[in-house]
Amino acid sequence: MPKQHLAAIEYIRGISMLGVIGIHVGSQYLMNPVSNAHLTALFEIATRFSVPIFFFISAFGIFYHIDLDKPFNYCQFLQKRSRAVVLPYLVWSLFYLIHDGWLYAVGFPAPLSLASLLFFGNAKYQLYFLVLLIWFYILMPLWIPLVRKINGKGLLLLFILQIAFNYFSSFNVEFNTMVYGMENPVLKSFLLYRLNYWVLHYIFIFIIGGYLAVHFDAFQSFMRSHPKSIRLFFAASLAGLLGYYYALLAFRGYTQMDAINTAHQLCPLGVVYTLAASIFFFTIFTEQKYPKGLNRLLSLLGRHSYFVYLVHPFFIGYMMLILEKQGIILTAPKAIVFYLATVVFSLAAAVLVRSIGEKAPMLNLLTLGITAPKKTQG
């Protein structure tokens, strides 16, 4: 029996995509030496759930449609996911390498450099996410028995281990000093870019996404029974992460750049915030206690979130070149307009390409991994 459609998954994709654009626009805004700390907090701190929540909904979508009592067809799974993720990843990576090589006059990378860029997802700054997702898919035979057997205590232990591992990876001085001081360039790259392919940094949010999908009836009952607690958890976790950011600025003398590179999604408060945001947005979009007219916008954002995620650095790059040529610095009002322009241009491009792709299916296949639906014979 087919499962019911869950609009919450699509809507969360849209919200997350908006958050990712905020993070990347925030990076441009921080080039202003007198950037507003509060706007930086909006761009860079409040949005920190955006990348890890993608792993949550990816796992949720996979396990929601898997029957754990039946054998898992690993080859079929990889074939489907390769079309949806690996193919667009390679196409977009080559697009950015060719485009940026021409635009910035750096040329196309040599074969060994190309292999490194593709392995680590460094062809463009947003593409590492797809590398992590690919590794999650490759390791799917590990996740299925874990999701099948894990219980509440196991999730709590995994949550604690996640915080400990992320803290070590991000903040252990001796470990990071060792990595940066390595003389072997190959080993140094594998450790320096560990955030780009070590799924261990996001294993908890992926596993709990799968767990809640498998136990969706209980999860739905929990959402309906504890809406106030869920909202409070989200608000408290956001306040905690923001408080940490402001404390770094006020009491430790951190720059805004240093503060956002510390109060991120892998710090302990960031892990808590990701969990809270995942449950909060799923609850909000499942219960839909808001004007229903918003659903059309949320659906539009969710439907085109993948393309927008992949294309938005293209528009950010060109708009920044125009501003730099005009000698314009991103002030707070201009940064907000810049953000909105990035969303609008990226979304318009997504709608246009999807529309063209309906007549030229190869375009949708290459850019989104989408195949044309089979025509039914009348």
Side-chain angles (χ1 to χ4, degrees):
M1 181 177 178
K3 298 287 187 71
Q4 69 180 92
H5 173 71
L6 298 178
I9 294 178
E10 182 178 61
Y11 296 170
I12 291 174
R13 285 196 187 101
I15 293 295
S16 301
M17 171 268 292
L18 294 178
V20 168
I21 294 178
I23 292 172
H24 295 153
V25 169
S27 298
Q28 305 300 324
Y29 176 57
L30 280 172
M31 294 181 184
N32 183 340
V34 290
S35 53
N36 183 287
H38 307 305
L39 184 58
T40 298
L42 178 62
F43 279 145
E44 296 282 354
I45 302 300
T47 57
R48 280 297 158 176
F49 67 87
S50 300
V51 171
I53 205 174
F54 269 122
F55 297 121
F56 175 87
I57 57 175
S58 295
F60 196 103
I62 292 171
F63 280 95
Y64 186 70
H65 294 97
I66 283 181
D67 186 345
L68 295 181
D69 294 325
K70 295 181 179 179
F72 175 64
N73 192 326
Y74 183 54
C75 292
Q76 185 180 44
F77 173 82
L78 286 184
Q79 183 180 13
K80 181 179 179 181
R81 298 294 164 173
S82 294
R83 184 187 68 235
V85 178
V86 178
L87 179 59
Y89 169 69
L90 293 175
V91 169
W92 282 96
S93 293
L94 292 176
F95 166 76
Y96 280 115
L97 289 172
I98 294 171
H99 171 269
D100 291 359
W102 164 78
L103 182 63
Y104 302 109
V106 296
F108 195 77
L112 286 178
S113 296
L114 176 62
S116 175
L117 289 168
L118 292 177
F119 181 85
F120 294 118
N122 286 333
K124 202 65 176 178
Y125 51 76
Q126 88 285 24
L127 294 176
Y128 78 94
F129 162 77
L130 295 183
V131 173
L132 279 166
L133 201 56
I134 290 168
W135 278 107
F136 269 117
Y137 293 158
I138 291 174
L139 297 171
M140 199 61 193
L142 297 179
W143 313 137
I144 290 178
L146 182 56
V147 170
R148 183 189 288 122
K149 296 178 181 179
I150 202 165
N151 54 22
K153 291 182 180 179
L155 286 171
L156 178 59
L157 176 60
L158 185 60
F159 178 69
I160 294 170
L161 291 174
Q162 183 72 86
I163 289 176
F165 175 80
N166 287 358
Y167 188 86
F168 173 83
S169 179
S170 299
F171 301 109
N172 185 278
V173 176
E174 292 182 359
F175 173 69
N176 284 281
T177 300
M178 178 198 72
V179 171
Y180 280 98
M182 283 184 169
E183 296 182 1
N184 186 315
V186 175
L187 183 58
K188 184 175 182 177
S189 294
F190 272 94
L191 289 177
L192 193 62
Y193 298 119
R194 61 190 179 278
L195 297 181
N196 295 28
Y197 71 103
W198 280 11
V199 297
L200 290 175
H201 290 103
Y202 297 103
I203 187 172
F204 169 76
I205 200 64
F206 186 86
I207 294 301
I208 198 170
Y211 175 85
L212 292 178
V214 172
H215 302 88
F216 182 66
D217 290 341
F219 180 39
Q220 195 167 32
S221 177
F222 175 81
M223 289 188 289
R224 289 173 178 170
S225 302
H226 302 86
K228 292 183 179 179
S229 298
I230 291 171
R231 290 195 293 269
L232 180 62
F233 181 35
F234 173 74
S237 65
L238 174 57
L241 190 59
L242 285 171
Y244 182 39
Y245 162 77
Y246 284 115
L248 292 172
L249 296 178
F251 303 115
R252 297 193 184 180
Y254 278 39
T255 64
Q256 291 179 39
M257 180 65 76
D258 290 337
I260 66 169
N261 287 332
T262 304
H264 50 62
Q265 69 267 24
L266 297 182
C267 76
L269 287 169
V271 177
V272 174
Y273 179 50
T274 296
L275 173 61
S278 300
I279 297 173
F280 170 77
F281 284 116
F282 215 106
T283 301
I284 292 296
F285 295 138
T286 298
E287 298 302 311
Q288 298 201 3
K289 299 291 180 65
Y290 55 85
K292 296 298 187 290
L294 288 175
N295 285 340
R296 291 186 64 183
L297 176 60
L298 290 168
S299 181
L300 176 69
L301 293 173
R303 172 179 167 80
H304 297 290
S305 60
Y306 193 15
F307 191 95
V308 171
Y309 181 88
L310 292 166
V311 81
H312 75 271
F314 175 84
F315 292 104
I316 287 177
Y318 273 103
M319 287 193 294
M320 284 303 299
L321 285 176
I322 293 172
L323 292 180
E324 290 170 5
K325 189 174 182 179
Q326 298 296 323
I328 299 174
I329 296 176
L330 280 181
T331 59
K334 289 184 176 68
I336 294 172
V337 173
F338 189 99
Y339 171 81
L340 294 174
T342 303
V343 173
V344 170
F345 289 148
S346 301
L347 186 58
V351 173
L352 177 62
V353 170
R354 179 71 72 93
S355 177
I356 296 174
E358 290 177 358
K359 298 179 181 180
M362 184 60 67
L363 182 61
N364 279 343
L365 176 62
L366 292 175
T367 59
L368 293 166
I370 296 175
T371 55
K374 296 181 179 179
K375 296 182 179 180
T376 57
Q377 296 182 348

